[in-house]
Amino acid sequence: MFVERINMREKPKIAVFKFTGCAGCQLELLRLEDIFLDLLEFFDISYWVMVKRENQEDGPWDISLVEGSISTPEEIKEIKEIRKKSKFLVAFGDCAIGGCIPSIRNWMPQMEAETQVYHDTSAIHSTKVLGIGEYVKIDAILKGCPPHRENILELLKSYLLKTKPRLRKHPVCIECKYRDNACLITSKKIPCMGPVTSAGCGALCPSLNRECEGCFGPMSNPNPEALASIFRDIGLSEEDIIRKFRKYAGTSIEFQREAGLR
Amino acid sequence: MKQSTDFFLLEKNGIDILVKKFLEEHKVFGPIKPGHDSTFDEIKSPKELHLDYISTVLPPKKFFHPPTENLFSFELIENTEWTYKETLHDEKTVLIGVHPCDVHAILRLDRFFSEDFRDPYYLSRRENTIIVALNCIEPSEYCFCESMGTGPFLEMGYDLLLTDIGKKYLLETGTYDGKKLLDGLKLEKADKKDLYEKKKLLEQAKKKFKRHVNTDGLSALLDDDTHDWDIWTKLAENGYPGKSFPCLSCGSCSLVCPTCYCYDVYDVIDLSLKKGVRKRELDSCQLLEYAEVALGGNFRRDRRERIRHWLMCKFGMAAGGDKSGCVGCGRCIRICPSKIDITEVARIIRGE
């Protein structure tokens, strides 16, 4: 049986890494505090600078959770190193998947972005902000800004059970209807990103009468072109529509056209 | 069991007395807000009930076949031995204010969940629920039940039936259970004049419909394989300018549909890895993952195929037959962000 199988072997080693991002995904992992000790029954935290003083620097790791996007040559080198030492590499959150909010920078000239922040830009060697999948092979992704704790747990449990994790790719509308919510677009003409955005949040924002911002990125087979024309119909300007699609997943294949890349 | 019908009259505030009586031994659910986007929810006192509602987001389907539910929990005792415990809901319940279209939808779900196989989870809820229906005097702009033969007045499927006949409600009994619920209440008997009033109101209500659909010959038309239907591509990819935007495949139509019963079943294992719950969740044929099989195969990969499937199903042409067919409640028309209108689709297919 699976329990026996798990107890027999050594605990899998987990490593958590951070690149360009806000550390919110790591915080979400830390927010599992009420069940954290239960998790340690099954896993060893081998590398996690945010929470541990002593870290095993040189791997190898069974599961590497990588947060943040890649935005400098040093980071490119580092993620390739991590890949070599990781058996199972997870793009942990939207930044690691496709750049997320930091990738808004990609839509302006590098010089403009740099001079907005730094007086002397001579030491800055930034690249375009991209997900880790641009440079290394990814074994799993956890969508969200940040990912929902249930999805994090689902992935970790399925690793132990050797099953396929049930990470839904359908739109937020599904979870929104589960909660008996009226549609914000049709009942209030609020420009909600729900119909193109991956579920997993439990329709958090629409249930509070706030439009979905799209923070879980594109759903499977979305129709962003149709949603853009609906936004136009309810009075959004072209600039507003572009901003909506750029915000969390502008670099994704699904949204890049509506985000302004023609 | 069908019983001889009793006819009573109820003052407008008599509803309060009725609800109080129901609350003595039942959980009571009904619409809790006025307007289009009302919700069926628990009624703890008569003043929470809004019989002036137009429609709800989720149909009463949610009480018998909830969006998500636990079917049973299981636990590993020894390495190969399991126990499990089913989650059956058998609380005595009254559902008040159900419109005729929704009652017809429940009758279809009854058949789906009891004919080919008996679904204990659905049936334990259903068999313990009494339906107090409410005839529709004012159909909304989205309604077309009259075209589907499911309204605006009800002839079957209710335990008790209310009709607003102006100053008072006409209360009819439909079943023995319904009759028993009125035991101990002193009710005024209705006379022929009141029944005539109801009939008059029915004729008036029928004339108030703004949406109509003619489904005659639709299945024969669509069965004709020699015809190249570009309507599905248009609905999915182009939209009909001035009428609808392309389909988003958001699945809202099927989730708010009172006859869509498709569901998904999966296990959630506890962190102990020794126990878990088997869950059931409403699914939608509009989702890419719905027709996905092992190794990434998919029977309906294109959006076009998915919107076609749903509409054909509502026209009674999928495996569910009329068990999943349309009852004309209009919810999918109101909820669709792309403004896709099933009555318009039928018109286009019929070449009207």
Side-chain angles (χ1 to χ4, degrees), chain A residues 1 157 166 178 220-221, chain B residues 79 264 269 282 289 306:
Chain A
M1 285 314 292
K157 281 188 284 189
R166 191 172 192 273
Y178 284 173
S220 54
N221 192 215
Chain B
N79 263 334
D264 189 15
I269 312 279
L282 275 186
E289 293 80 19
R306 283 177 262 151

Side-chain angles (χ1 to χ4, degrees), chain B residues 144-207:
Chain B
F144 55 101
C145 60
E146 204 238 336
S147 306
M148 306 308 291
T150 52
F153 280 25
L154 197 59
E155 271 138 27
M156 61 206 268
Y158 57 87
D159 296 289
L160 291 171
L161 176 64
L162 291 163
T163 313
D164 184 345
I165 54 166
K167 290 200 178 97
K168 293 180 178 181
Y169 278 109
L170 179 69
L171 173 65
E172 299 168 50
T173 59
T175 60
Y176 175 72
D177 286 344
K179 239 179 213 183
K180 223 176 77 183
L181 211 53
L182 304 176
D183 275 356
L185 290 178
K186 282 198 182 109
L187 294 168
E188 182 189 346
K189 291 257 185 201
D191 58 25
K192 269 188 180 161
K193 197 165 79 290
D194 303 314
L195 296 182
Y196 176 73
E197 186 62 27
K198 178 188 163 188
K199 210 175 155 193
K200 205 175 79 188
L201 284 165
L202 172 63
E203 292 310 315
Q204 283 172 7
K206 278 183 182 171
K207 287 182 192 130

Side-chain angles (χ1 to χ4, degrees), chain A residues 62-252:
Chain A
D62 295 296
I63 306 171
S64 289
L65 301 173
V66 179
E67 174 207 74
S69 47
I70 304 296
S71 69
T72 65
E74 293 77 25
E75 287 185 343
I76 298 175
K77 195 167 158 252
E78 230 176 301
I79 187 65
K80 287 179 178 170
E81 287 293 320
I82 290 168
R83 173 72 267 191
K84 269 188 227 160
K85 297 173 189 167
S86 307
K87 287 184 193 151
F88 192 77
L89 187 74
V90 183
F92 184 38
D94 287 351
C95 284
I97 295 171
C100 196
I101 290 178
S103 75
I104 296 173
R105 200 189 74 190
N106 294 357
W107 303 94
M108 59 170 88
Q110 188 69 28
M111 174 193 66
E112 203 181 308
E114 285 177 13
T115 49
Q116 268 188 25
V117 183
Y118 304 101
H119 286 300
D120 179 7
T121 60
S122 57
I124 309 298
H125 308 287
S126 291
T127 57
K128 289 277 178 210
V129 180
L130 295 166
I132 61 172
E134 189 72 17
Y135 302 102
V136 295
K137 181 179 165 285
I138 304 172
D139 299 308
I141 64 168
L142 272 172
K143 291 180 178 191
C145 182
H148 196 283
R149 61 180 274 158
E150 289 304 322
N151 295 342
I152 301 173
L153 281 175
E154 174 68 18
L155 186 78
L156 293 178
K157 281 188 284 189
S158 68
Y159 180 88
L160 295 172
L161 297 167
K162 303 270 177 255
T163 54
K164 188 181 173 192
R166 191 172 192 273
L167 300 169
R168 304 312 304 270
K169 292 172 270 179
H170 61 218
V172 173
C173 300
I174 300 292
E175 291 180 339
C176 200
K177 296 297 130 18
Y178 284 173
R179 298 181 69 162
D180 216 341
N181 296 332
C183 176
L184 290 175
I185 298 177
T186 58
S187 70
K188 292 184 179 153
K189 295 201 184 306
I190 292 175
C192 179
M193 287 287 277
V196 293
T197 302
S198 193
C201 61
L204 196 59
C205 297
S207 300
L208 298 165
N209 276 317
R210 290 284 308 262
E211 68 267 39
C212 168
E213 295 277 344
C215 79
F216 271 60
M219 65 188 254
S220 54
N221 192 215
N223 197 344
E225 196 182 349
L227 190 64
S229 55
I230 291 166
F231 284 170
R232 223 165 272 134
D233 185 56
I234 59 178
L236 252 65
S237 68
E238 293 305 312
E239 288 75 20
D240 283 342
I241 294 170
I242 285 173
R243 266 194 287 274
K244 279 202 166 282
F245 282 95
R246 260 183 208 182
K247 192 167 181 183
Y248 287 97
T251 60
S252 66

